[in-house]
Structures are given as C-alpha cells and as structure tokens.
Amino acid sequence: EPLPEPEELWGKTQLPTLGPAVEKGVLGNGLTYFVQENREPKDRAALFLVVGFGSLVEEEHERGIAHIIEHLGFSATKDYQNHEIVKFLESIGAPFGACQNAYTTFDRTVYTLHIPTDKEGLWGEALRVLREFAFFTRISEEDLEKERKVVLEEWRESRSAQGRLFEQYITALCRGSKWGERLPIGKEDVIRNVTAQTLRDFYSRYYHPARMALIAVGDFDGAAVVQSVKDLFGLAPEEIQPLSRTPMPPERPRHAVPDSDGVTVTSSTDRELSFAQGMVDCKRPKQDLKSVEHFRKRMTEDLFHKVLGTRLLKLTIEPKGPRNFFMVSTETGNPIPPLNTMNITMAPLPGRMRQAIRGIAEEIERVKRFGFHEAEVDRAKRTMLADYEQEYIERDQRPSESFAEEYVSYFLDDMPAPGIAQRAAVVATIMPSISSSDIANVAQDFHFGQNVVVKLATPPLSLWNPLYTLWSVFQACWNLMFPRPKQDLPDSAEVAEILRGVNNAEALDPWPADADDVDSRLRKKFEACESARQQANTQKPVVGVEASGVLRDKVAPGVPKPKRSSGVDLSTETKETLPIGQELFLPNGMRVFLKDTDLFEDEIVLRARRWGGLSEYQGTNPFNKGIVTTEAQVCSMAAAMLGVCGMQVEDLQECLEGKRLEPNPPSMDTYMTGLDAAASPVDLETLLLLLHLMFLCPVDATAQSRTRTSLVKLSLLAARLAENRDPMAQFQKRLQRCISQNHPFVRAPTLWSILRLNFKTVSNIFNDSLKMPCEWTVVLVGRLPPPEKLTPLLHKYLGSIPNLCGNAQPERRSEIAMRESVKPVDIHFPTKSVKEDVKLNMIDPKGSTVLCFPIQLTAVAEAGNAASARAELAELFRLRILVRMLETRLVEVLRFNKGQVYTVSCGDDMSTSPPALGKARKGTLSIGFECDPAEADELVDVALSELDKLRDGSTAFTVANVEAAVMQERREFEECFQKNDWWAGTIQDLYFSRCQAVTEDIGASMSLWWQVRSEVVSGFSTDIAWQTLLAVLPPSAPSAVVAMRPKGAKSGKADNKATKQD
C-alpha cells in the first residue's frame, strides 16, 4: 500500500509487523508459533525453539546455568537417552556441532534444527525433538557431571584476548546494571560446582510455554505443521512432568542501563592482544523501529555511516598528516538489547591512541560543521538501494533460516518483520525524502560531552613484548613525543579534554569535493587502454588452441541440470545427455566456460585460475633456499593497497558504489593463482571491464606515495608482531614446523624481510601473473545474458587483452605440459612418530592438541589412462567419507563418552602434493581438539587407541556410522548442487584436476567425477570404510602429536595493575 502524504504523517504510520506469508498463532498455554512455507532451500526446513530467557535472570550462584541447560538438552530428555537426539540428527544428514544447533545470550536461548523434508515424518520427528527441549530435558546429577567438562572447555575457549576484551567492554558499557554482570558463558566455579537441583529449578521456572515461540519455515505443508505444533506443544504448564511449570509465567526482565557521567574510560593491557584497539560509544536507549518515521531515521543513520566510512578509508590510506590508525569505522551499534549506541571502533598505531581519538572526532566534527557533498550522498543512496533491490529480485530465493531469525527478533525484541515486497515499497518511497543535510545531522548524535563510554586496550609496553615496545618508542620519538614505559592509554579526563578540544577547534576545513567525475572513471580508463588493445589485434594466433571464439556445448552424460523451480533427484544418474555448459576459446587463448542457471535471479559467480603459484618464488641461494619470498607471500594484499585496475583502492571503491558486484584481486596458493568475483546480471559488464583493466593496467609501485607503501609495511609488521603474541598462532607455526620437518616453504615472513620489502618486486610478481591471458581459464555461472549478448562482451573485454610475450608467438600449452612446468614442493612427513609439547606463556591456561598422520593415495592418475583417473577419484571420495566417520566417531568417544572436549575436528590436506601426473598424491590427515592441558595426554592416548582398535578390528565402524556419514554427504551435496558458487568452484576445480589432464574435455571430466562419486556414495560399506582406513592410515604409519600447554604454573589473569576504571 502507498505511504500517506504528507511526510508528517509517517510518524503515525506503523510499519507492517509481519509479512503476509507467515501464519502466527498462540496456543492455549501461551506458546506462540510462526509457520511459513518457503521453497529455498528446496526440501529443507529451519525449525527454531525460542526461550525468552538467558543469563540475565541468573542469580550470582547460578551464573552460566542457562547455557549448561542448553547443552543438557542434547544429552538426554524424557524420550531420548544417551545423545540419541544427536544420533537422530546425524542419521538424517542434519548438521550438528559447536554453535550449530543452539545458542544462549543474555536474554534468550534458541535451539535450531536445519532438517531435510523430502522424507515422510522427518519434520514431525524434529518437532518432537524441540518439544523435548522445551518441556522434558533430563537434568540428573549424572547428566550434569558428564557435561561439566564440555562446558568448561567452551568457557576456556572464550578466555582469549578478544574474549577478555569483550568482557571488559560490556562491563564498562553496562556499569551499574545487571547486563554487565551476567555474561552467558558464566563463571568457572559455578560450572564446576552447581548442582542438578539448581538447574532443575531454573528450567522449571523459566522454560515456560508462555515465554516460548516455535518457528518453522521451510519446504513443507504449512497447515500440517501448524496442526502438529498444536498437537505437540499444547500441554498446560502444570501438566508438564516431571518438572511442572506454574500457571503464571515469569516476566522477562527489562533492566535499563544507567547513563554514564560525562566521559568514562576503561583501559587495560593484554600481552596476547593482537592490536591496540579502541571503542567509543555514545550511549542511547534502544531506538524504536515501529513507524515509517523510525525506519526513515534508521536508514538515515546507515547512510551516514556509509558516507563517513568512505572518507575514513581515504584517511586510513592517505592521511593528511601523521598516520594514526590501521582501521577506523562507525556504526549504529546494538551491543545489548536495551542500547543503540553510536559507536566508533578503531585500531590505532602503537603509541597513537590519543591522536587516533582526536582524528576520528575531528572528522565527525567536520561533518557537523560542513555536512556532506551531494555526490557522496548520491553514491551511498545508490549502494543502499542496490542492496534492497537485490533482496527484492531474489525475494523467492531467500533462505528459510533468514526468515526464522527475523521472527526471533519479532517475538523477543518487538522488531517488525515485514515481507520483502512491503519493505521494498517503504524504502523506495522514503529514500528520495532523505536529504544530505538529514544525513549530516546524524553526526549530532555523537554527543561527546555526556554518556560516553570509552574502552581502550593495548599490548603492554614491557619486556614481555620487546619488539612491540621498541616500535612504540620509535613511533613516539618520530612524532616528538615522550614514550610511556608502561602503557600509552589516556584516562577519562584526558579523553574528555581531547573531545572538548575538537569541539572548540577552529582550524577545520571542509572536505574536498570530487576532483573528477566518479561515474566516468572506469570508462575513461578503458578508453586509455586502446593502444594496448590494438596490440592484441596484431599478435600472431595462439599456438596450441583453436581460438575461434565460437561457443561449443560441453556434454556430460549422467549429470542432471540444476533447477530452482523443482527438485532434482541426485540419488541416481539422469538418463539424459545434457550439456553442462558451453566453452569457448577467445582469440588471445583465454578459455571461458559458461553455465546459465536459474538458481538465483540476481547472481553471477566468476572463478578464474592459472597454473603458477608460490612454489615458483622459492629462494635458491644457500641462505634462503626453499623459502618463499616475502614479496610473493604478500603480493595480493600489497597490490590491492597500491592500486589495481589502474586506480587507487579508495578511488575504485567510489566507482563501484551503487553496483552489485564483488571483485577481488588474484591471490596465490601453492601451485596456482586465482581470483573470485560475483556480480548482479545488470553489473556483469562492469565486472568484465574490471577484469580487462586488471590485466591491462599493471600495478606501478614507483607511482605510489611513500605514505601508501608505509601502510603496507606497517600492516604487515603489526600482523607479524601479533603472531608472536597470540598463543594459538605460535602453536600453529610450531605444528607446521613439526609435521614438515621445518621445511623452508612453510616459514612465515621475518620482520627483517618485511622491513626490506621491495615494492617493485611485489608489483612485478603480481603483474607477471596477468601477462598472459592464454594461461587463464574463466568460469561464469549464474543468470547469464543470452549468448548473442554475452559473447560480444567477452570478446570486447576479455578477448581484447594482449599476451605480453614480446615478439614470440603466444602458446597455450596442454594440460599435462602446464602441470609439469610447475615447480613441485617436496615436503616430507617425519619417518618416525614424534611428540612435541609447545609450552607457551598464557594469561588463561588452555590446551590445544593436534594429531597428524601422513597419507598417500595408492591409485595414481596417469596420462592417457582413464581407469587410473577413475581409481584416484574413487579413493579421494572414499577418503572424504572416512574423514567424516572418524570425526563423528571421535566426537562420540571424546565428548559423549569421556565428556572432556567441546568438539573434535578431522580433516585432510593435500595442498602441497605434486601436481604432475604419475606421482602419488600425498598429504596429511589431522585430528584436533582443545581440552584441559592436564588431560591432553590422556585424550591423545584414547584417540590413538580408538584408531588402533578400528585398524586391528577389535572395534569396528557400524552400519549406523556408515549410513550417517553417507547421509551427511548426500544432504550436503543436495544443498551445494543448488548453488551457483558450488558449480563455479567445482567446474574450475575439474579444469585443474588430474582427470581433466587425462580426458582433456570438461564434459567428460564432469561426467567421470559424477559417476565415480555416485558409485562410491551408494556402495560405501563398513568393509570399505575399514579397507580405506588401512590404506590411508596403516598400522605402521608414523604420527606427530603436537600439544599446546601453558609454560610452568598458571601465569595469572590480566594484570590488575594495568587495568584502570575511572
């Protein structure tokens, strides 16, 4: 419906509260339900149980029990014993894992199930599981004891530098209210000692149906789901047994956050913190979002942050004076439900905290005085409208989970959840009414005189961090300041004085207007490359390929076509012989593959790749032999900062405002260089133009200012120093050193190599990867234009790129020749089992353990031998299923039986395996978990013992294990099959796979891949699982066990003397 006129009536016009597609109801016991039919993803549903209470209602002796109860629901209930709920989820292929199925916050506990709906009874069984969570969680002393250590491990994981910083931030922001005293993770002593009776009392008091909502969104019969909800969840509160509820439900607390007096600063040091960080919050109560005028105000604030963010990016890269920060941004924050703060987040350079605060405050003051330019505002509006337009175009493809999350906010936070079409109509009407002065006036909400909370944190300047301390002292001396030996953090009075000084400053100039026409920049760049394009027209034909520029269908027998309108049966091969797409070779030798789909109306995904990666840039002299040069390791990041497409990064960003596309510069892995991008169909031509400019406009380090290059070095130095402070980063480095026997290829850049970084070499490495378009393969998947429109665009932008090979005739080598030209990395796993304890200084002791094993495939793909490629593919698919089974088995043993870990991860890595045909693929299989450091050895023995039992047959994989792993594989594949990025990635992977080198046809490779996968998945059994395990991990295989432990005794909490609360 059209909004009323005049605009003065918008304050009285309520936003649509719920979209027309959802059915809302309230049962007799007070439980609210939301049910909506939605076909995206196909044959899937999102089921949420929302409980309107979290940690905020806990008493001091209960801190953390809301979260413990959430855990216990998956352990046992009235009708499900011994983690049978988890086994049910695994059996239907639904995801289960850390933070995947439930979460607890201050004011809510939400259980989430993501289930298939293509089989009779699945969603009904899932609803019964949610009913068990709601009414019948079993809370016995035995259940609690088994889950304590799991919860303790999750608590231990939260005690990182960022976790401590968040706790200090919330405490400072909410001082004087219960919000700052009830972090959901709880307290260690409560987790260790709370009784089951305390949990039962909490559960029966707060898990009341009148304070719950059941949300079901998915591909099902909505009327049938509504009836099931009524049948399953309609119990009267007093009839729920054994833990009955009172007839009167408890009230949800509405704790207000008191105002802060003036400017309040809380500062701290943490020697594990990666970077100095600052957060400035101008506190405001939660802003209503019920009327059209409220929505207009929120849109105006979002536009303000977009426009200011563009300015701040320019100041970060090219400051007008001394550099103050690595990053700075503003937003309308919602750190806790009762607050909507005007937030500033920044990462200042060492020793520049005061200057950083002054710098961002000056930019906000500049907006207060002079406002924004119309051109800036126009670009921000176009960007926001583009986002809403994409949402509207893909309104029928919005995932069910997104709707479900909206209904959670509607139920608990009184947030409207209008339909997409309703929201689009409101935006289209409101946007023209928002003026540049309206947007600039948002700056007034940054009121720095009252109710301001500032949280500052930095690594300490001390002998614990000698390099960071030296850097900070250098920064201070460089800027004629006296370095402070302990910490460089201002107090409340000093910050208040800085902010007052900005308000009273006289020497502020208006922000300069655009120096050119932003909208014409890309076109002018394209025109400037005309001479380079003429070179392509005069080049000799590319050797090794028939570059006719004609589209050719690529047929893949047995591979079905993805369809959005109807599901596709992936359990059997299709009898049709359908083209999976079209391939063409452009005149310059570039290979392009096109696959038109209707999966998403507003999406085209691009993947591009060539052979040649980091292995080509290993040192050769005795001092750096095998070490990848720092210039190669950082070239993608450095090139982006120096400017790709012939433009500086901030100028390019301005050109792309209002367009729906996501470009990225090429990046290198071990053996390949690739780039990923995505665009709306309406912006596909712009994306192709960017690729054109990326090839034709080389990065020129000599044309860049010293300020810009210094930012690259400073960022790299800061990241490298942060690794030295972060225990997990140090642990990962030691792990790689151990399993590679300290191979030089895995070494990170040294501080000295970063200081000596040669930007000309960086540019040359980046530019060399783009010199020869005949080496590249580009894959486009999505809502493509018709061939008669798309083909000319491909010739115009991609086919006109010349091969920069001098007078030589360009050549596109065969798949085998390109593979054999790549320099292999020869990394060997230790020949004997090793065990290494990595002892580190930690503030909060924690343990992380990784078990690694060498793996080598027995089947080897050989040139011209399709059977060998088939055998190698089959072994890879069997390995993938085996890894799933090992992870599930070890979760069952270490978490469910032992109760000593939060989760277990298993994975394989063959990224450094030599690419040439005829050589066995090799890599590592790793098993990782985090636990109490004192229990690491015990759990390692249990894990190794379980592997030994599986290998010698004293215990075996069960049929249920196999069926669960196969079902998870199938369900995951079904969802991937309906996504453009999966198709683009899979086709690109196949182009660079060994089977492509054998078949030399992408259709044949895809068909072979599909057939082998289907055969392996359908035929996988307990015997095959055992044989695969023995082949991959024979009993004689060595192992490497690397465990992170705290050095010595507990090294103490964050230094209380280094924490100030004014």
Side-chain angles (χ1 to χ4, degrees), residues 53 60 160 171 195 211-212 233 286 365 385 508 526 642 658 796 859 870 890 930 1024:
F53 297 97
E60 184 65 25
S160 63
T171 301
T195 65
R211 297 293 178 259
M212 291 181 179
F233 291 86
K286 178 183 176 182
E365 180 65 23
L385 283 172
L508 278 181
F526 179 74
L642 296 175
K796 178 180 179 180
R870 172 182 284 272
L890 291 173
E930 297 188 357
I1024 292 176

Side-chain angles (χ1 to χ4, degrees), residues 612-618 628 669-671 745 822-825:
L614 294 173
S615 70
E616 307 301 312
Y617 297 98
Q618 300 175 74
V628 179
D669 60 19
T670 304
Y671 297 121
F745 185 81
V822 174
K823 184 176 181 179
V825 177

